[in-house]
Amino acid sequence: MPGARRFSPSRLHNPRIPPFDRRVATGPSAAAMLLLRRHLLPFLRAAVPLPSPLYHLPRPLATSPAPFSLEEFLVDACGLAPALARKTANKAFDESSKLTKKAFEDLSRSRLKSASNPRAVLALLSGVGLSRADIAAVVAADPLLLRASAKNIEPRLLDLRDRLGLSAPQIVCFLLVGSRHLRSCDVVPRLEFFISFYGSFEKLIVVMKRCSCILQSNLERVVKPKIAFLRQCSLSVRDIAQLCSVRPRVLIYSLEHVKELVLRAEELGVPRSSQRFWRAVSVVAIGKECVAARLIYLKSTFGCYKSQVATAVSKMPSILGIPEESLHPKIMFLINEVGLTPQYIVERPVLFTLSLEKRMVPRHNVIKVLHEKGLLNSNMSFCTLAKLGEEAFKLRFIDCRKDSLPGLADFYAAACAGVVPSRI
């Protein structure tokens, strides 16, 4: 418009500058500008605040706590070496991711978001007598213990000490193999039962190293019905404990499967009344196909009848649990080196259970030396000789010849250590 000043929105904000020149205060264009001003002014005031003396002051920077590092916590609070801490932290996330999505989120967001819960867990472990080195070993074995609810595990840890009477070293032994059960359930009543069942805490730890999942099983619905059934099969509590020490999963099998194992054990020719019956049940628990393969192997290797193998198995059911790679060198040694017949070996299956390197080979070498020196004054069979206890063998064949053959003791010791001894 000729003679009019250019419109600028900034003029609307400054009260010192008249919004429009009076020369354009009339006419259609003026009405349009006033209408535009009426619509734009609220938006411009909201978008551009008026100057303030405080507006240009520097704002304080927002501070947030440093993110929690499990690896650093393992080094600083638990005393793990950096390499082991890194490995343990990775193990924690790997194991958590294998569980459930919720467990992984718990590990990464909730109880391990800060050091408060892990420190509470460490305090509980220290409170029941664990040393810093003990705690480091336990956490390295099960880093997810640090995300366990301190409120939940506190009474369980105290019961290990106060109710079961476990010492600090015993608590460490348990946690190294069973801490995951401590954090997942009230494990103390089950520990109390199994300690009584197996006869001691130490025996239970041996079993847990084979199968710690028995602590997850319900005693009333899963474990005790199996024990009651095996008692009906003429097995004593001691026999059942021995069976479940070798095959602890028998306690968590279905009852129908355990009944099937009992029937298959009887098919081996071992009656329920036999003291070897629990061993027969233990053997068939390795699997039907495996047992059948071992029977075929023994029959073909010795070239004997099926009934002869069956007789050997009924005498010593545990031979079916020996792997073929262990049986074969024993058989070859007994036939080729000792000179025994297959018939003799089959009739004495106990030979299969003896150590080849630490018993049969060293004793055979001693007898050969004594025979060569003309000092053997016994016609004891090899089976009887091999079955002798260690002290009885030394007393009868080595100690009494210290003067006549002084190097014999060293010769035997070297053979037992797996060293091929030089001739005396």
Side-chain angles (χ1 to χ4, degrees):
M1 180 183 297
R5 297 180 182 177
R6 185 178 300 275
F7 172 74
S8 173
S10 61
R11 296 170 63 89
L12 297 176
H13 287 76
N14 196 334
R16 298 177 182 177
I17 302 176
F20 295 98
D21 195 292
R22 293 188 181 276
R23 287 177 295 179
V24 294
T26 60
S29 298
M33 295 300 291
L34 289 173
L35 182 62
L36 179 63
R37 176 191 178 195
R38 191 178 302 118
H39 284 285
L40 289 179
L41 189 57
F43 296 103
L44 292 171
R45 285 175 175 169
V48 185
L50 294 175
S52 168
L54 298 177
Y55 181 76
H56 297 288
L57 292 177
R59 295 181 179 180
L61 296 176
T63 59
S64 59
F68 174 74
S69 169
L70 177 58
E71 184 177 331
E72 292 179 3
F73 180 84
L74 293 172
V75 174
D76 298 336
C78 301
L80 271 65
L84 180 57
R86 187 178 308 109
K87 180 180 178 181
T88 303
N90 291 336
K91 178 182 177 182
F93 282 95
D94 289 344
E95 290 186 0
S96 184
S97 62
K98 292 177 183 176
L99 297 175
T100 63
K101 181 179 179 181
K102 181 179 183 300
F104 184 78
E105 290 174 349
D106 282 347
L107 177 66
S108 57
R109 297 180 185 177
S110 59
R111 297 191 187 120
L112 283 185
K113 187 176 181 180
S114 69
S116 58
N117 191 82
R119 289 192 184 280
V121 172
L122 296 187
L124 293 176
L125 294 174
S126 177
V128 293
L130 272 64
S131 67
R132 182 177 172 85
D134 293 334
I135 294 173
V138 169
V139 171
D142 180 25
L144 292 186
L145 183 62
L146 294 176
R147 65 167 284 272
S149 169
K151 179 181 177 181
N152 289 342
I153 68 171
E154 180 179 14
R156 300 169 190 172
L157 280 170
L158 294 177
D159 279 349
L160 291 178
R161 182 190 64 187
D162 302 333
R163 178 173 168 179
L164 298 182
L166 300 184
S167 64
Q170 287 176 320
I171 293 176
V172 173
C173 286
F174 165 70
L175 292 177
L176 288 175
V177 294
S179 64
R180 64 188 62 196
H181 306 299
L182 178 83
R183 52 184 166 85
S184 63
C185 64
D186 185 9
V187 75
V188 173
R190 299 172 192 183
L191 280 173
E192 195 170 34
F193 172 82
F194 283 117
I195 289 173
S196 174
F197 175 68
Y198 285 111
S200 71
F201 172 79
E202 287 71 25
K203 290 180 180 178
L204 173 60
I205 292 298
V206 173
V207 173
M208 287 181 60
K209 289 179 180 179
R210 295 193 181 109
C211 177
S212 68
C213 60
I214 59 173
L215 292 182
Q216 291 287 92
S217 303
N218 185 283
L219 292 178
E220 301 301 326
R221 296 197 306 267
V222 178
V223 175
K224 291 184 179 180
K226 314 302 168 27
I227 296 174
F229 170 73
L230 292 172
R231 290 284 290 122
Q232 295 173 6
C233 297
S234 303
L235 289 176
S236 65
V237 174
R238 181 175 178 273
D239 289 339
I240 299 171
Q242 288 179 307
L243 165 63
C244 297
S245 295
V246 180
R247 309 286 181 203
R249 289 188 177 272
V250 168
L251 290 173
I252 58 178
Y253 287 154
S254 69
L255 187 56
E256 292 303 315
H257 186 47
V258 176
K259 291 179 179 179
E260 181 186 352
L261 294 180
V262 169
L263 293 177
R264 284 164 49 196
E266 288 182 302
E267 292 173 357
L268 294 179
V270 184
R272 295 186 182 188
S273 58
S274 170
Q275 294 182 346
R276 297 184 294 273
F277 186 67
W278 75 264
R279 296 184 183 276
V281 176
S282 172
V283 164
V284 297
I286 66 176
K288 186 184 298 185
E289 295 78 10
C290 187
V291 170
R294 300 276 166 79
L295 288 170
I296 294 173
Y297 170 78
L298 290 173
K299 181 178 178 296
S300 61
T301 300
F302 291 110
C304 56
Y305 295 108
K306 183 178 179 180
S307 59
Q308 292 175 302
V309 174
T311 300
V313 170
S314 65
K315 290 180 179 179
M316 188 70 63
S318 56
I319 65 175
L320 293 179
I322 304 174
E324 291 180 15
E325 54 268 24
S326 179
L327 280 175
H328 186 73
K330 291 180 181 180
I331 294 171
M332 294 299 101
F333 170 78
L334 293 172
I335 293 175
N336 299 330
E337 297 295 327
V338 184
L340 303 180
T341 65
Q343 181 71 23
Y344 180 96
I345 299 170
V346 169
E347 292 175 354
R348 295 162 179 81
V350 68
L351 290 171
F352 297 130
T353 66
L354 303 177
S355 171
L356 178 63
E357 294 82 5
K358 295 183 178 181
R359 181 175 289 231
M360 291 195 288
V361 170
R363 295 188 181 187
H364 176 64
N365 288 338
V366 167
I367 297 303
K368 283 175 61 178
V369 169
L370 293 177
H371 180 74
E372 292 172 359
K373 302 291 184 180
L375 299 174
L376 186 63
N377 53 6
S378 172
N379 59 355
M380 184 181 294
S381 70
F382 182 80
C383 182
T384 303
L385 179 145
K387 290 191 299 181
L388 282 176
E390 185 67 13
E391 294 303 319
F393 176 80
K394 288 182 178 180
L395 182 64
R396 184 157 185 173
F397 293 98
I398 297 177
D399 294 346
C400 61
R401 292 176 174 82
K402 290 181 179 179
D403 297 330
S404 58
L405 200 58
L408 185 60
D410 293 336
F411 176 87
Y412 178 67
C416 289
V419 179
V420 179
S422 58
R423 307 304 295 176
I424 301 178

